[in-house]
Amino acid sequence: MAGKGTGPLRKGRFAPYGLLSPGLLWLVLFFLVPMWTLLKIAVSTKPNPYLPEYDLTWRWANFSDAVSRFQPELVRSFGYAAMATVLCIGIGYPLAYYLAFRAGRWRTLLLGLIMVPFFTSFLIRTIAWQTILGSDGPALWTIRTLHLSGAADVIGLTTHGGFLNTPQAVIGGLTYNFVPFMILPIYVSLEKIDVNLMDAARDLYSKPSMAFRKIVLPLSLPGVFAGTLLTFIPAAGDYINAELLGNVRTGMIGSQVAKLFLRESNYPAAAALSFIFMAIITAGVLIYARLLGTQELTA
């Protein structure tokens, strides 16, 4: 009888692994295998500079060569992404707060308007900004009409009276394209906050600013964390904004990887640079998660 009873128990013990198997198979086939292939390319050598061929020689110096060659692009990519992320928080948090606590019956409409840009191609949106910020675009026309060209140069909004081909344009494009990814997670976190907590704070004679610092801000940090990741990581790897709104002095890592893969056919250098970029991103995310905490992300 004991032997007969162990059958269902044994099957139940392996049931979780069966449920995990599709996800694990997907992870192995579409993440681990490509990563292993990319690693082999990264430690290879390209014998002919004119042909897209490489030999696996386990040349680990490709990583140090990539860092020394593309260090300015690495610094620039993370700097632009960090500034765009800060701007997205500054723009997205107040808007998400308004949607969660003040929008009322307009909430659905406003959320729909935030989602509207996703119905247009990322590339088309950036090209539109290229037109808006161009020499004949409405942005410069407004500044010239108001005779603010000199002031715009002084505060760093423009460079030599122009928007395009500047770091400001690249950061502005990144901010515009990724700000919805900041608004929505913060809105979800704010929406889960019980308004009775703020009413209780007012009953205890708390000032609105203190209630925000003690209640709203801590409870919304999971949304800020998720929004930061969804904004910073793709912004750091973006190259469309740098290509269309910047110049050769505003190039980012994505631009260099695309150039190495598609123009120079230098697969080992491109793979090594990609691995370095992913390693820095992973380390940064782990440190950020450690500092901010992620316990409530799945709450």
Side-chain angles (χ1 to χ4, degrees):
M1 295 294 293
K4 294 181 180 179
T6 58
L9 293 176
R10 187 172 300 176
K11 291 180 181 179
R13 186 184 304 171
F14 292 102
Y17 299 100
L19 294 173
L20 287 174
S21 58
L24 292 175
L25 181 62
W26 181 276
L27 181 65
V28 170
L29 292 179
F30 297 104
F31 180 74
L32 295 181
V33 171
M35 290 292 289
W36 172 247
T37 303
L38 191 67
L39 177 61
K40 290 197 298 183
I41 297 174
V43 294
S44 298
T45 304
K46 187 179 179 185
N48 191 325
Y50 304 102
L51 295 177
E53 299 175 352
Y54 52 88
D55 297 330
L56 181 58
T57 57
W58 301 102
R59 188 178 186 274
W60 297 96
N62 287 342
F63 293 99
S64 59
D65 292 345
V67 171
S68 60
R69 179 180 174 185
F70 299 106
Q71 183 178 358
E73 286 78 7
L74 281 168
V75 175
R76 195 179 299 126
S77 296
F78 292 115
Y80 288 176
M83 286 185 279
T85 301
V86 171
L87 289 173
C88 286
I89 294 175
I91 297 170
Y93 198 103
L95 183 54
Y97 185 91
Y98 178 82
L99 288 172
F101 300 116
R102 298 287 187 268
R105 61 192 180 93
W106 299 101
R107 181 180 303 171
T108 303
L109 175 62
L110 293 175
L111 283 172
L113 292 176
I114 292 172
M115 298 297 295
V116 163
F118 290 109
F119 293 96
T120 307
S121 167
F122 185 93
L123 178 61
I124 297 301
R125 297 202 306 268
T126 308
I127 292 175
W129 270 101
Q130 192 178 38
T131 304
I132 293 171
L133 300 178
S135 57
D136 297 324
L140 280 180
W141 178 86
T142 303
I143 289 178
R144 291 166 183 165
T145 302
L146 298 175
H147 304 288
L148 297 176
S149 300
D153 277 354
V154 171
I155 64 176
L157 185 62
T158 59
T159 301
H160 303 299
F163 280 111
L164 285 181
N165 304 320
T166 64
Q168 302 93 297
V170 177
I171 295 170
L174 293 172
T175 303
Y176 164 75
N177 280 305
F178 293 110
V179 71
F181 295 101
M182 182 67 71
I183 296 173
L184 296 178
I186 296 177
Y187 165 74
V188 171
S189 290
L190 290 172
E191 191 184 32
K192 293 191 300 183
I193 298 176
D194 189 352
V195 294
N196 293 324
L197 294 175
M198 289 177 282
D199 293 336
R202 283 193 294 268
D203 293 339
L204 296 173
Y205 303 102
S206 173
K207 295 180 180 179
S209 58
M210 183 176 292
F212 174 80
R213 292 196 309 270
K214 297 292 186 179
I215 299 174
V216 177
L217 184 60
L219 293 177
S220 65
L221 284 182
V224 175
F225 176 83
T228 301
L229 296 186
L230 292 174
T231 302
F232 180 82
I233 294 175
D238 179 76
Y239 71 95
I240 292 178
N241 288 277
E243 289 289 319
L244 297 181
L245 304 178
N247 54 34
V248 294
R249 293 185 296 276
T250 60
M252 299 172 65
I253 283 299
S255 304
Q256 298 303 322
V257 171
K259 179 182 177 182
L260 290 170
F261 266 120
L262 303 178
R263 299 180 188 175
E264 299 182 12
S265 297
N266 193 346
Y267 294 176
L273 185 59
S274 300
F275 250 101
I276 292 169
F277 177 77
M278 287 187 290
I280 296 175
I281 285 287
T282 303
V285 169
L286 293 176
I287 294 172
Y288 182 64
R290 183 76 174 179
L291 293 176
L292 190 61
T294 61
Q295 292 85 355
E296 296 184 23
L297 280 176
T298 56

